[in-house]
Amino acid sequence: MRVLLINPFYPISETPSPPLGLAFLAGALERAGNPVRLLDCVVFPYDKGYLASVLKDFKPDLVGATAVTMTVDHALGVLDAVKALNPSLTTVIGGPHATFCATEILQSCDQVDVVVCGEGENTLVALAHALGTDAPWEKTAGIVFRDGNRIVKTAAVPLAELDELAPPARHLIPLGRYRALGMPVSMTTSRGCPFKCIFCVGRKMVGARVRYRDPVRVVDEMQALCAMEFHQINLADDLFTANPDHCLAVCNEILNRGLKVKWTSFARVDTVSRRILEKMHQAGCTTISFGVESGSPDMLRRIKKGITLEQVVHAMQLCRDCGIDPHASFILGLPGETETTLAQTLAFGERLKDMGVSHGFHILAPFPGTDVRERVDEYDLQIESDDWRRYHANRAVIRTAGVRSETMDAVVIDGERQFDRWLGELARIREDGRATDETIWPLVRLEHTVVIYDMMMKRLIEEKGNWPAETSDDADETPTMKLIQRLSGELDHPPARIRAAIEFAFGQRYLTRNAENGWIHWSWVDYL
C-alpha cells in the first residue's frame, strides 16, 4: 500500500526538529514493502493546491497524520482536505492527542477513518496490510475506528523491543531545510519512563518500563547524523540518565570511536552523579535539561515529583563543575499554586541564575491523557479553554484558586521581554562597533533563521530563483546580487539582512545555484 504521512504545521518559535516519530513510522512501512512519502507542513508552505498535486503525483492508498495537542486542528484540517479531494482514501491520525481523544475525534470528525493509539510502528504496518488484503479491521490491534454508528477499539499492541524496529527513514524528511533554519536533529536511545508526573503523557504513551537500544546502534546513528552537519543532536529520551550503565555505555562508545559530536539530553536531578556527568561531558554533551517544576517544597510533594530543592542545587553545581550547561524548567499553575508558591518558584529561579544556571517558565497545559486532566475535579484547577491551538504552554489555559491566569502569563511575558532586551543589547553592541563575531552570533543566526524561514514559507526561491542567464541588466551583476534584488521586494526585512541571509545560506551549502541550458537555477538543499 502507498502511504502518505503528514507532519502538521508547527510554529518556528517552538524550535521544531525533523519529525522523528514519522521517520520511525516511515521506516517500518518501507521495511514491510510499502512505498512512503512524507509531506512536512512545518518547513513547506501548505495549501490545498499543493496537497492536490501530491495526491495526484503519489497516488496514496492511506494518508496518515501525527499530532500533538497544539497541532491537532491543523492535522484534522489537512485530512479534511484529503477527503474533499479523494473521499475514497483511508485516513488515519495518531500521536498522543489522538491516542487519548480517539472516541471524540471519530465522533466529531468525519474526515478521520482510523485512530492509531500509542506507539504506531507495528500498528500502522498491520493496518496497511489489512487494507491491502481486505482483512477485517477488528483483527488489527492498536486502533480505534468507526463501524456504522459504533466506535470499535481493538486490543492494545505490545510494546516493541527497540532494536527490532526499522531505523528511522530520515531520507524522506527535508532535513536540509531544518539544518538551514538552525534547528537541531533528534534521536533516541531509549523509550519509557518509570516516573508518574501528573502533567505528562509520556509514561502512558511509551510505558513505565524503560526499553534500551544497543549502544553500538545508537552511536552508529549518531555518527550518521554527524555527517549531515547539524550543529546539535538532541537525545530525546524521556530520561537519558535513567540507567547509569546504559548512559555510560553510550558515552564510552562515542569516546572509543573518537567521534566529535555536540549533543544534549534530559535528566532528573536525582539520576546524575559526578561520574556520569564527567563521562557525558567527555563524550560531547553540552547541555542537560532538568524538569524542576517548582521552587516550593510543598508543591514538589503535592505533584509527587520525588525531588528536593537541595538535590536541584547539587545537580546544577555538579553540571557546572563538569563543564555541562544545566537548564532548569519550571511549570506554573500546578494544582495548589498560590501567590506564595509562585513567589518561591521565582525566587528559586533567581537563585539558580546567580549560580550561572539558565531557567525558563512554562504554564501547565492539561493535555488529554494526563492525570491532571483526567482527575481535574480532584485538583485545585479550573480549565479555561479547550482551544487546542492554545495548548503551547506559553500562555495560561488554566487557573487555580490562588493564582489568576493573568498573573502566570505575566511571568512568561517578562521572560520573553528579557530575551528581547538581550537581543537588543547585542544589536547595540553591533551598531557601536564593539562586537566580535562570537559575541553577536546568536543575534545574527536568529536573523538568518527568520529571513530563511520567510523565504521558504513564501516559496520565493522556487518562484523567483530561476531566470534566463542573458536577461541580466548589468553584465557585471552576479547571480547572488540578482537573487537578492529579486527577493528584496517580497520580504519585509532590510536589504542588508536579506543579503546576509542569502550569502550565509549559499556559503553553508543550504542554498545552491546551477547554470544549465542558458538558465540560472537556485534551490534549497532539501534532502541530505
Side-chain angles (χ1 to χ4, degrees):
M1 304 300 288
R2 302 177 69 81
V3 183
L4 174 66
L5 298 176
I6 296 170
N7 191 31
F9 175 75
Y10 204 83
I12 192 70
S13 58
E14 297 293 323
T15 318
S17 60
L20 181 59
L22 285 183
F24 270 111
L25 294 176
L29 287 163
E30 284 192 328
R31 188 166 72 176
N34 303 283
V36 182
R37 182 166 173 177
L38 195 147
L39 175 59
D40 195 334
C41 300
V42 174
V43 292
F44 277 95
Y46 164 78
D47 59 46
K48 290 183 179 179
Y50 180 59
L51 176 65
S53 68
V54 171
L55 296 179
K56 181 179 179 181
D57 174 56
F58 184 61
K59 298 179 176 59
D61 304 291
L62 175 66
V63 179
T66 187
V68 296
T69 298
M70 185 181 69
T71 64
V72 69
D73 285 350
H74 189 274
L76 292 171
V78 178
L79 293 182
D80 188 51
V82 168
K83 280 292 192 182
L85 291 164
N86 188 344
S88 67
L89 286 175
T90 300
T91 54
V92 58
I93 191 169
H97 185 95
T99 293
F100 300 109
C101 291
T103 298
E104 295 88 334
I105 286 175
L106 290 169
Q107 287 176 339
S108 61
C109 304
D110 293 339
Q111 67 267 42
V112 176
D113 296 317
V114 189
V115 174
V116 168
C117 296
E119 291 184 345
E121 290 93 348
N122 293 332
T123 299
L124 197 55
V125 168
L127 179 61
H129 177 75
L131 290 174
T133 59
D134 293 326
W137 288 3
E138 287 89 344
K139 294 185 178 180
T140 301
I143 65 172
V144 184
F145 64 95
R146 194 186 303 104
D147 182 15
N149 294 324
R150 293 191 309 135
I151 301 296
V152 180
K153 183 175 183 178
T154 65
V157 175
L159 295 173
E161 294 304 320
L162 301 188
D163 285 334
E164 296 176 0
L165 294 175
R170 289 193 177 90
H171 60 277
L172 298 175
I173 300 175
L175 294 175
R177 293 198 171 217
Y178 287 95
R179 194 182 62 174
L181 291 168
M183 300 296 125
V185 65
S186 297
M187 61 174 288
T188 54
T189 81
S190 68
R191 290 184 189 175
C193 182
F195 298 97
K196 302 179 180 180
C197 297
I198 63 175
F199 47 81
C200 180
V201 298
R203 177 187 175 97
K204 292 184 177 180
M205 280 294 291
V206 296
R209 178 177 69 89
V210 183
R211 293 160 288 149
Y212 298 98
R213 295 177 58 198
D214 177 358
V216 173
R217 295 188 181 187
V218 167
V219 182
D220 285 344
E221 182 177 348
M222 187 176 283
Q223 193 162 1
L225 293 178
C226 285
M228 298 176 186
E229 299 180 353
F230 279 89
H231 74 96
Q232 176 180 298
I233 296 173
N234 288 345
L235 298 188
D237 306 34
D238 288 306
L239 183 56
F240 176 61
T241 55
N243 183 325
D245 291 339
H246 172 74
C247 179
L248 290 171
V250 171
C251 292
N252 285 329
E253 184 66 23
I254 294 171
L255 292 169
N256 290 340
R257 297 191 192 190
L259 185 61
K260 303 300 181 184
V261 55
K262 293 182 179 180
W263 52 278
T264 68
S265 69
F266 297 95
R268 280 174 58 100
V269 297
D270 56 353
T271 63
V272 295
S273 65
R274 183 176 297 275
R275 173 172 172 249
I276 291 289
L277 293 173
E278 286 177 346
K279 186 67 70 171
M280 290 173 67
H281 174 64
Q282 291 168 12
C285 180
T286 60
T287 305
I288 300 178
S289 295
F290 295 92
V292 178
E293 322 314 355
S294 177
S296 163
D298 289 340
M299 287 291 290
L300 291 175
R301 286 190 289 270
R302 187 175 298 125
I303 66 175
K304 301 177 182 179
K305 181 68 180 179
I307 63 173
T308 67
L309 298 183
E310 290 75 20
Q311 288 175 318
V312 173
V313 171
H314 180 64
M316 301 298 167
Q317 189 59 56
L318 278 180
C319 285
R320 298 279 295 166
D321 292 346
C322 295
I324 294 175
D325 290 330
H327 176 80
S329 176
F330 294 95
I331 299 177
L332 312 180
L334 290 163
E337 188 84 274
T338 65
E339 295 281 358
T340 298
T341 61
L342 183 60
Q344 288 176 306
T345 295
L346 296 179
F348 190 65
E350 287 301 308
R351 179 182 176 186
L352 296 182
K353 182 178 178 181
D354 290 341
M355 295 173 57
V357 177
S358 64
H359 66 279
F361 298 104
H362 291 286
I363 303 173
L364 176 69
F367 299 116
T370 59
D371 182 70
V372 74
R373 187 179 188 90
E374 293 181 346
R375 300 173 54 201
V376 66
D377 293 339
E378 302 174 31
Y379 290 121
D380 170 32
L381 283 178
Q382 180 179 338
I383 298 176
E384 296 187 327
S385 174
D386 282 337
D387 180 349
W388 304 130
R389 293 167 296 182
R390 294 180 58 192
Y391 276 56
H392 45 65
N394 295 315
R395 294 293 184 273
V397 293
I398 52 91
R399 66 186 304 161
T400 70
V403 180
R404 299 181 306 151
S405 57
E406 295 84 357
T407 301
M408 292 181 278
D409 284 347
V411 174
V412 177
I413 291 170
D414 181 63
E416 294 168 350
R417 288 173 176 166
Q418 289 184 38
F419 180 73
D420 290 342
R421 287 194 291 270
W422 175 65
L423 292 178
E425 178 59 26
L426 294 184
R428 285 189 291 274
I429 291 173
R430 178 172 59 185
E431 292 169 2
D432 293 343
R434 296 181 286 126
T436 64
D437 290 344
E438 183 177 357
T439 301
I440 64 169
W441 177 244
L443 172 64
V444 174
R445 189 60 181 93
L446 179 60
E447 290 174 346
H448 291 344
T449 294
V450 172
V451 175
I452 290 170
Y453 182 71
D454 284 351
M455 288 192 290
M456 286 180 178
M457 300 309 278
K458 292 180 179 180
R459 291 198 180 101
L460 293 183
I461 296 299
E462 292 84 349
E463 296 178 2
K464 300 288 185 177
N466 304 281
W467 61 82
E470 66 272 17
T471 62
S472 175
D473 295 329
D474 183 350
D476 296 325
E477 185 180 53
T478 67
T480 301
M481 289 304 301
K482 181 72 171 180
L483 179 66
I484 293 168
Q485 290 177 3
R486 290 170 71 91
L487 300 191
S488 292
E490 307 290 335
L491 292 166
D492 188 21
H493 300 289
R497 192 170 297 172
I498 296 172
R499 175 175 181 170
I502 290 175
E503 290 179 343
F504 168 75
F506 183 55
Q508 295 294 317
R509 303 187 307 279
Y510 304 149
L511 187 63
T512 64
R513 182 184 71 236
N514 293 301
E516 56 183 2
N517 300 323
W519 279 74
I520 300 294
H521 297 282
W522 289 85
S523 61
W524 297 109
V525 179
D526 291 334
Y527 297 94
L528 304 179

